Coordinates of all heavy atoms in Angstrom, one line a residue:
P145 N 104.0 1.5 -40.3 CA 103.6 0.1 -40.4 C 102.2 -0.1 -39.6 O 101.4 -0.9 -40.1 CB 104.7 -0.7 -39.8 CG 105.7 0.3 -39.2 CD 105.4 1.6 -39.8
T146 N 102.0 0.6 -38.5 CA 100.8 0.3 -37.8 C 99.5 1.0 -38.4 O 98.4 0.6 -38.1 CB 100.9 0.9 -36.3 OG1 101.3 2.2 -36.3 CG2 101.9 0.0 -35.5
F147 N 99.7 1.9 -39.4 CA 98.6 2.5 -40.0 C 98.3 2.0 -41.4 O 97.3 2.2 -42.0 CB 98.7 4.0 -40.1 CG 98.7 4.7 -38.7 CD1 99.8 4.8 -38.0 CD2 97.5 5.2 -38.2 CE1 99.8 5.4 -36.7 CE2 97.4 5.7 -37.0 CZ 98.6 5.9 -36.2
G148 N 99.3 1.2 -42.0 CA 99.2 0.7 -43.3 C 98.2 -0.5 -43.3 O 97.7 -0.9 -42.3
P149 N 98.0 -1.1 -44.5 CA 98.6 -0.7 -45.8 C 97.8 0.4 -46.4 O 96.7 0.7 -46.0 CB 98.4 -2.0 -46.6 CG 97.2 -2.7 -46.1 CD 97.2 -2.4 -44.6
F150 N 98.5 1.1 -47.4 CA 98.0 2.3 -48.0 C 97.6 2.0 -49.5 O 98.2 1.2 -50.1 CB 99.0 3.4 -48.0 CG 99.3 3.8 -46.5 CD1 100.4 3.2 -45.9 CD2 98.6 4.7 -45.9 CE1 100.7 3.6 -44.6 CE2 98.9 5.1 -44.5 CZ 100.0 4.5 -43.9
D151 N 96.6 2.8 -50.0 CA 96.2 2.7 -51.4 C 97.3 3.3 -52.2 O 97.6 2.9 -53.3 CB 94.9 3.4 -51.6 CG 93.7 2.8 -50.9 OD1 93.4 1.6 -51.2 OD2 93.2 3.4 -50.0
K152 N 97.8 4.5 -51.7 CA 98.8 5.3 -52.5 C 99.9 5.8 -51.6 O 99.6 6.0 -50.4 CB 98.1 6.5 -53.2 CG 96.8 6.2 -53.8 CD 96.9 5.8 -55.3 CE 95.6 5.2 -55.8 NZ 94.5 6.1 -56.1
I153 N 101.1 5.9 -52.1 CA 102.2 6.5 -51.3 C 102.8 7.6 -52.2 O 103.1 7.3 -53.4 CB 103.2 5.5 -50.8 CG1 102.5 4.4 -49.9 CG2 104.4 6.2 -50.1 CD1 103.5 3.3 -49.4
I154 N 103.1 8.8 -51.6 CA 103.7 9.8 -52.4 C 105.0 10.3 -51.6 O 104.9 10.5 -50.4 CB 102.8 11.0 -52.7 CG1 103.6 12.2 -53.3 CG2 102.0 11.5 -51.5 CD1 102.7 13.4 -53.7
I155 N 106.1 10.3 -52.3 CA 107.4 10.8 -51.7 C 107.7 12.2 -52.3 O 107.7 12.3 -53.5 CB 108.5 9.8 -51.9 CG1 108.3 8.6 -51.0 CG2 109.9 10.4 -51.5 CD1 107.5 7.5 -51.5
T156 N 107.8 13.2 -51.4 CA 108.0 14.6 -51.9 C 109.5 15.0 -51.7 O 109.7 16.2 -51.6 CB 107.0 15.6 -51.4 OG1 107.2 15.7 -50.0 CG2 105.6 15.1 -51.6
A157 N 110.4 14.1 -51.6 CA 111.8 14.4 -51.5 C 112.5 13.4 -52.4 O 112.0 12.4 -52.7 CB 112.3 14.3 -50.0
A158 N 113.8 13.8 -52.8 CA 114.5 12.9 -53.7 C 115.0 11.6 -53.0 O 115.9 11.7 -52.1 CB 115.7 13.7 -54.3
A159 N 114.5 10.5 -53.4 CA 114.8 9.2 -52.7 C 116.1 8.7 -53.4 O 116.2 8.6 -54.6 CB 113.7 8.3 -52.8
P160 N 117.0 8.2 -52.6 CA 118.2 7.6 -53.1 C 117.9 6.2 -53.8 O 118.7 5.7 -54.7 CB 119.2 7.4 -51.9 CG 118.3 7.5 -50.7 CD 117.1 8.3 -51.1
F161 N 116.9 5.6 -53.3 CA 116.4 4.3 -53.8 C 115.0 4.1 -53.4 O 114.4 4.9 -52.7 CB 117.3 3.1 -53.2 CG 117.3 3.1 -51.7 CD1 116.3 2.5 -51.0 CD2 118.4 3.8 -51.0 CE1 116.4 2.6 -49.6 CE2 118.4 3.8 -49.6 CZ 117.4 3.2 -48.9
I162 N 114.3 3.1 -53.9 CA 112.9 2.8 -53.6 C 112.9 2.1 -52.2 O 113.3 1.0 -52.1 CB 112.2 2.0 -54.6 CG1 112.2 2.8 -56.0 CG2 110.8 1.6 -54.2 CD1 111.9 1.9 -57.2
P163 N 112.4 2.8 -51.2 CA 112.4 2.2 -49.8 C 111.6 0.9 -49.7 O 110.4 1.0 -49.9 CB 111.9 3.3 -48.9 CG 112.0 4.6 -49.7 CD 111.8 4.2 -51.1

Side-chain angles (χ1 to χ4, degrees):
T146 51
F147 293 88
F150 298 94
D151 296 295
K152 317 273 165 73
I153 300 179
I154 171 174
I155 286 83
T156 68
F161 53 85
I162 298 163

